[in-house]
Amino acid sequence: MIDDKAISEIRGKHRNLKLSQVWDMDNLIAAEKEARKGKSDKYGVRKFDKNPKENLLRIQKMLQDRTYKTADVRTDRQYCPCGKWRDITKVHHCPDNIIYHALMRVIGNTLTKSFHFDSYASVKGKGTAFARRRVRRFLDKNSHRDIVWAKIDFEKFYFNIRQEVVYARLCKMFHDDGIRWLLREIITTVEEGLGIGLYPVQTIANFHLNELDRLVGKMLHGKVHVFRYCDDILLAGYDSKEVWKAIDIIRRYADTVLRQPLHTNVNVEHVTDDTGIDFVGYRFYRHYTFIRKKMKMRFKRKMKRYERRERNGDDSVAEKKRQTLASYKGWLMHCNGKHLWFKITGMKNFSDLNIKHESVTKDGQVYFDVPAVSCGFIAGREVIVKDYQEGVKTKNGDGRFVVLIEEGGRECKFITNNPRLKDVLRQCREQDAFPFKAKFKSKPLGGNKIDYYFE
């Protein structure tokens, strides 16, 4: 139970954030736009749209008088992509979702700025892709060293969060009693723990473990690196003893401060080419990264099921198949999954088809597939003139010459309509002088005109 008397004695760090900023009408209008994204066809949004101005005024009045109470919530059991069934708490669009977004517009940045850098869940600009890059960068940077790792997480993290503990921690951040009142209303929406599905809960739960992230780094002086996605904590270091110390710190902190149980199946392993780190859906080995085996097998099963339904004449499966391919393509493009993608989808790699591009254009002219440079760029430099194509049509006119050259060990081309250069190139072709070495020079002619020539 939350002890209101003890909480009232806590002095918050941020005193400039007030409840009046939450119920400010401009903030409520912006919050309503955010809350309705992707939900325009929902019943709560359609009901709100019947009289939006009066509904916003009613929400503002409830916040001003502090008469707001969370509406009756419903809990739906849903199967998550991680392979677990979760109880998702849902509320109505009006006024709950609007108030949640309005609150997070005021305190969200303050919370996220306090997060440990390698905390990735519910942080804008981070997520699983950023977590993958950070872990991969750590392994590549220390490829010459022996890496030891362990992963630890909480049992039913959201359900077992102690409401009084997380509320007291939030009160240390925010001093205004109005902000505290609204946070308490959100935290106590469900009888135990925090309700997964409520918009502010993800950020609040992330903030709940922020002190633990910093504690491990502080006590071990950076000898163990902490990577965390929600309650999944990855510990990576160079000595197994230091990693075990970090595990002991987390266990003591969970027992004495958080009062939440941890999973007991914790092992310390070495990173090799055969055993890798399992984190955020990927397996990180010393020199490469794969997706988890469960995800790979699930991808195979889905594609076989779609192919079987297509052979039976089911045309409705095309859209689902496209969505599945797009989803797994997003995972595989961030790891060494190209071969797996080609194998499961039956797609061929263009490099294996032994097909070459045509070396001439539709007009039969030679196409030099090299970067183009300006004459001024190579002026004063020594070049090797290899070939040219005359009578080329460009956006500046017809009859241009495209000249293939080598400068500084790289091939490039330039386009010219200079009569002197044209005449020299034609004479060189008549004498079969290609390739030849020359210095490409320039001289001013007056009136911002420049003449180029070979020397």
Side-chain angles (χ1 to χ4, degrees), residues 49 60 108 122 200 217 227 242 294 303 346 348 351 376:
D49 289 340
Q60 187 182 49
S122 306
F227 306 91
E242 298 296 332
K294 285 184 179 179
M303 293 306 298
K348 296 180 180 179
S351 60

Side-chain angles (χ1 to χ4, degrees), residues 368-374 403-405 410-414:
F368 300 129
D369 189 14
V370 293
V373 297
S374 65
V403 186
L404 176 66
I405 63 171
R410 68 185 185 99
E411 285 190 337
C412 54
K413 62 186 177 184
F414 69 87

